[in-house]
Amino acid sequence: MQLAQARSDNGERFVLVIEDDPTQARRLDDVDSVHALALTALDRNVGLASLIKEWPGEARVDAVALTDKGQLLAPLDHPDPAHLLVTGTGLTHLGSAEGRDKMHRQMNEADQSEQPLTDSMKMFRKGLDGGKPAPGDFGVQPEWFYKGDGGIVMAPGEALRMPHFALDGGEEPEIAGLYLIDNDGAPRRIGYALGNEFSDHVTERENYLYLAHSKLRACSFGPTLLVDELPDDVQGTSRIWRDGDVLWEKPFISGEDNMCHSLANLEAHHFKYAQFCRPGDVHVHFFGTATLSFSEGISPQPGDVFEIDAKPFALPLRNPLAKDAAAPVPSVKPL
């Protein structure tokens, strides 16, 4: 079961349920957001999937056509964007067999030559050693970063904008967990979505301490929200289109079979902080990736289109790249 949010020609919002065929999505009656559905499930103390199955509404809508018209929204939002927090983790995926082999050889060479490992390599090795703890235990902490609030979330089809000062605007194909904090301050997972975490890799490459700067960018996720559990092995494709042709394309993988951290461990290390358990808040948490066009020397340009596609998600996530016009240096004046 998957959910999508859309807007009609006259601006009315509505929620769709996709079971198999996205061209035959079921439109739910009298509800305009997944957030409202989730609150109702909490109030009634029922599971979200059970609530949706009983929710009235039989009209059928072609979600593919809505995608082509740019009328699908992010599959989860909050009425007050300041109460939606976007965060993520890195160095969480094993990567391809080639990448793993290369990394292991580098580890062995470093061990044999007694050359120090980079901080990134040290953190990755910690994840390999302790990123999948027994249930109820904390494992090794992952890398963690903050991206912004709901104001940085671009809808599927909407442009991911590079700030005028950015050195790069590159895709990061990922899975994101979507959460609502209940009235008792407990995080409740609503589901999962495809995501483009979108970062400035040139800035990050200058110095790893610039990671925080490189992540303060837009992002996108959706178009659909998977209510069911995430498969352990997610296989997808990340591609970049330029002038109607594929500029770059590569498979990407996710799911716990392809990660050095369990999802539970990533969630535990995010929600262990009390400030992330404020009742009513919504969280979008990116789980990381191992596939970047930047790693292969690709430099996306404004007008390029990022496309991320993976099963079991019913629809691909597409966003064009744009760049903001130059702006003056901010000047702070005394009050």
Side-chain angles (χ1 to χ4, degrees):
M1 178 186 292
Q2 299 180 50
L3 301 175
Q5 298 188 133
R7 194 184 302 276
S8 66
D9 292 337
N10 62 9
E12 178 188 10
R13 286 175 53 123
F14 55 93
V15 176
L16 296 174
V17 181
I18 301 172
E19 294 283 3
D20 295 306
D21 184 356
T23 68
Q24 294 293 315
R26 181 169 72 95
R27 178 171 173 168
L28 301 184
D29 293 340
D30 302 321
V31 63
D32 64 358
S33 72
V34 172
H35 180 259
L37 274 177
L39 290 176
T40 301
L42 286 177
D43 289 342
R44 298 183 185 179
N45 195 29
V46 297
L48 180 60
S50 298
L51 177 71
I52 294 167
K53 288 177 181 178
E54 299 175 357
W55 199 276
E58 296 302 326
R60 299 293 165 170
V61 177
D62 185 345
V64 176
L66 292 177
T67 301
D68 295 339
K69 294 168 65 176
Q71 291 179 216
L72 287 187
L73 309 172
L76 180 65
D77 52 10
H78 191 287
D80 180 356
H83 285 277
L84 187 154
L85 300 179
V86 185
T87 54
T89 58
L91 301 172
T92 55
H93 282 64
L94 299 173
S96 67
E98 178 184 359
R100 288 199 303 272
D101 179 65
K102 180 179 178 181
M103 185 168 288
H104 291 161
R105 283 190 282 107
Q106 290 173 339
M107 289 177 183
N108 293 335
E109 291 166 4
D111 288 342
Q112 293 168 5
S113 63
E114 298 183 354
Q115 292 295 318
L117 295 171
T118 64
D119 288 341
S120 294
M121 192 68 75
K122 290 176 183 177
M123 183 166 287
F124 180 81
R125 292 185 71 171
K126 283 180 176 289
L128 287 174
D129 293 339
K132 294 185 175 180
D137 292 341
F138 273 121
V140 171
Q141 294 186 110
E143 175 194 67
W144 181 97
F145 56 84
Y146 172 74
K147 281 193 71 69
D149 64 16
I152 68 161
V153 177
M154 302 295 107
E158 193 172 2
L160 294 170
R161 306 193 66 87
M162 299 167 56
H164 68 91
F165 52 79
L167 302 179
D168 172 58
E171 87 296 337
E172 294 208 10
E174 305 190 19
I175 305 297
L178 311 180
Y179 308 87
L180 174 66
I181 309 302
D182 69 18
N183 291 333
D184 296 322
R188 307 291 291 271
R189 190 190 313 108
I190 297 175
Y192 305 91
L194 283 176
N196 187 340
E197 193 253 297
F198 189 65
S199 298
D200 185 339
H201 302 107
V202 173
T203 293
E204 180 185 349
R205 184 178 60 182
E206 285 188 355
N207 190 306
Y208 192 70
L209 295 179
Y210 283 157
L211 175 71
H213 286 281
S214 74
K215 295 298 186 182
L216 291 173
R217 299 291 188 269
C219 71
S220 186
F221 60 93
T224 64
L225 183 162
L226 177 68
V227 179
D228 308 316
E229 285 301 312
L230 186 72
D232 290 334
D233 181 23
V234 176
Q235 303 280 334
T237 304
S238 178
R239 59 180 62 91
I240 300 174
W241 294 84
R242 179 175 293 173
D243 299 327
D245 296 321
V246 175
L247 172 70
W248 175 88
E249 180 179 79
K250 190 168 184 178
F252 82 94
I253 55 177
S254 193
E256 287 196 2
D257 285 353
N258 304 302
M259 299 173 67
C260 56
H261 286 266
S262 65
L263 298 182
N265 192 50
L266 300 182
E267 292 172 335
H269 281 293
H270 177 65
F271 290 112
K272 68 185 180 184
Y273 296 105
Q275 64 263 43
F276 296 148
C277 294
R278 183 171 56 190
D281 280 1
V282 167
H283 287 252
V284 177
H285 193 62
F286 286 93
F287 293 137
T289 188
T291 304
L292 304 173
S293 66
F294 178 78
S295 300
E296 299 185 9
I298 301 298
S299 180
Q301 300 175 5
D304 291 351
V305 177
F306 302 116
E307 181 179 82
I308 301 169
D309 192 9
K311 298 299 181 184
F313 299 97
L315 296 169
L317 175 63
R318 300 188 185 99
N319 297 90
L321 176 64
K323 187 169 185 177
D324 292 333
V329 176
S331 176
V332 179
K333 300 177 181 179
L335 184 63

